[in-house]
Amino acid sequence: MLREKYKATTLNDCVFANQTIQNRIQAYASGNLKGHLILHGPNGTGKSTIADLLPYAIDGQDAYIEPKDFDDLIKVKDLRNYLENGYFYWGKTYLVFHEFDDAKGSFSLFWKTIDKLQNKVMMIITTNNPMKIHQSIRSRCNCISLPALTATDVLPRIQFILRAEGINLPDIQVLAYLKSWDKHGDIRKYLDVVADLTYLHKSNLPFPLVTTSRPKPAALKVVNKNT
């Protein structure tokens, strides 16, 4: 599938709604900003992809991401010792928790342990609704909002994929195809457009006709020389 073939492998492959958000994420990747993170926003804005890639952007390909999810982690009897052992063997441990809205358990024990470990652990949490995350966790994290992606936001990435598939179309035509999914703001929907165009290209079928909103030329005033 095209989604897997062109899945982002670095933060540079990710689509950001604006430069400010990209700069903040890159600041964490470079170490200029530190701390636990909550990435929040609607579906399809790249939260999970960014959360999965960020540890490697910070610490390289040897970055250690804890394999246990939150539900299993809080069941560990001596959580502090468990995480400190991870730090001893692999270095800084990244706790990546996806869709954290409905997480339940002993938050008090968890955040006290995280506080004691300080820079040995970094939490990266994704959620659609940060206000559903327990206050004790939310107060310890910096929040970055990832808004819905517009057709214009994704156009450069979509054009990169199309050209890699041998499809060369003008921006205005591709943008017209993408805008039909603007209301969703979901990168997966935009990639479905790529899949459809790729199918048509490989099947030697014509691409759909599009109408553009180019301004009409001003009407010429005809002067009757006989008047």
Side-chain angles (χ1 to χ4, degrees), residues 173-192:
Q173 183 175 353
V174 176
L175 200 56
Y177 296 143
L178 296 174
K179 280 186 175 295
S180 62
W181 296 104
D182 237 358
K183 64 182 178 180
H184 296 277
D186 187 330
I187 188 65
R188 290 179 286 262
K189 298 298 184 183
Y190 295 123
L191 288 173
D192 286 343

Side-chain angles (χ1 to χ4, degrees), residues 7-164:
K7 184 178 180 180
T9 56
T10 72
L11 290 179
N12 291 331
D13 297 331
C14 296
V15 177
F16 297 93
N18 57 61
Q19 192 62 47
T20 299
I21 295 171
Q22 184 172 4
N23 289 344
R24 286 195 70 192
I25 295 296
Q26 291 293 351
Y28 280 94
S30 64
N32 290 317
L33 288 179
K34 298 181 183 296
H36 307 300
L37 271 180
I38 292 177
L39 305 177
H40 63 93
N43 293 330
T45 57
K47 302 183 300 295
S48 296
T49 300
I50 294 169
D52 289 337
L53 292 174
L54 190 53
Y56 300 110
I58 297 171
D59 272 342
Q61 290 305 306
D62 292 331
Y64 178 66
I65 300 177
E66 167 57 44
K68 294 183 184 296
D69 61 20
F70 179 77
D71 291 340
D72 291 330
L73 203 57
I74 59 174
K75 294 175 184 176
V76 175
K77 289 185 178 180
D78 189 344
L79 182 57
R80 180 177 177 180
N81 184 61
Y82 174 82
L83 292 174
E84 283 188 326
N85 282 339
Y87 177 79
F88 176 79
Y89 286 108
W90 298 289
K92 188 171 185 174
T93 297
Y94 293 89
L95 307 178
V96 180
F97 301 137
H98 292 302
E99 306 300 336
F100 205 64
D101 311 45
D102 300 320
K104 296 178 176 61
S106 179
F107 288 100
S108 176
L109 174 61
F110 181 74
W111 66 253
K112 287 177 182 178
T113 300
I114 296 300
D115 283 352
K116 290 175 183 177
L117 294 172
Q118 298 184 359
N119 294 328
K120 296 178 180 179
V121 170
M122 179 180 179
M123 286 189 298
I124 306 174
I125 293 170
T126 70
T127 178
N128 289 349
N129 187 348
M131 298 310 295
K132 288 187 176 181
I133 294 177
H134 196 277
Q135 172 64 19
S136 64
I137 302 297
R138 199 168 67 244
S139 67
R140 285 164 170 77
C141 297
N142 300 316
C143 291
I144 298 180
S145 174
L146 301 177
L149 296 170
T150 68
T152 303
D153 294 333
V154 303
L155 179 62
R157 181 64 179 170
I158 295 301
Q159 280 287 47
F160 169 82
I161 296 172
L162 287 173
R163 287 164 185 160

Side-chain angles (χ1 to χ4, degrees), residues 173-216:
Q173 183 175 353
V174 176
L175 200 56
Y177 296 143
L178 296 174
K179 280 186 175 295
S180 62
W181 296 104
D182 237 358
K183 64 182 178 180
H184 296 277
D186 187 330
I187 188 65
R188 290 179 286 262
K189 298 298 184 183
Y190 295 123
L191 288 173
D192 286 343
V193 173
V194 178
D196 291 342
L197 294 175
T198 302
Y199 167 76
L200 294 174
H201 174 68
K202 291 181 177 179
S203 302
N204 293 316
L205 296 172
F207 296 125
L209 294 175
V210 297
T211 56
T212 62
S213 56
R214 292 174 185 262
K216 295 181 180 179

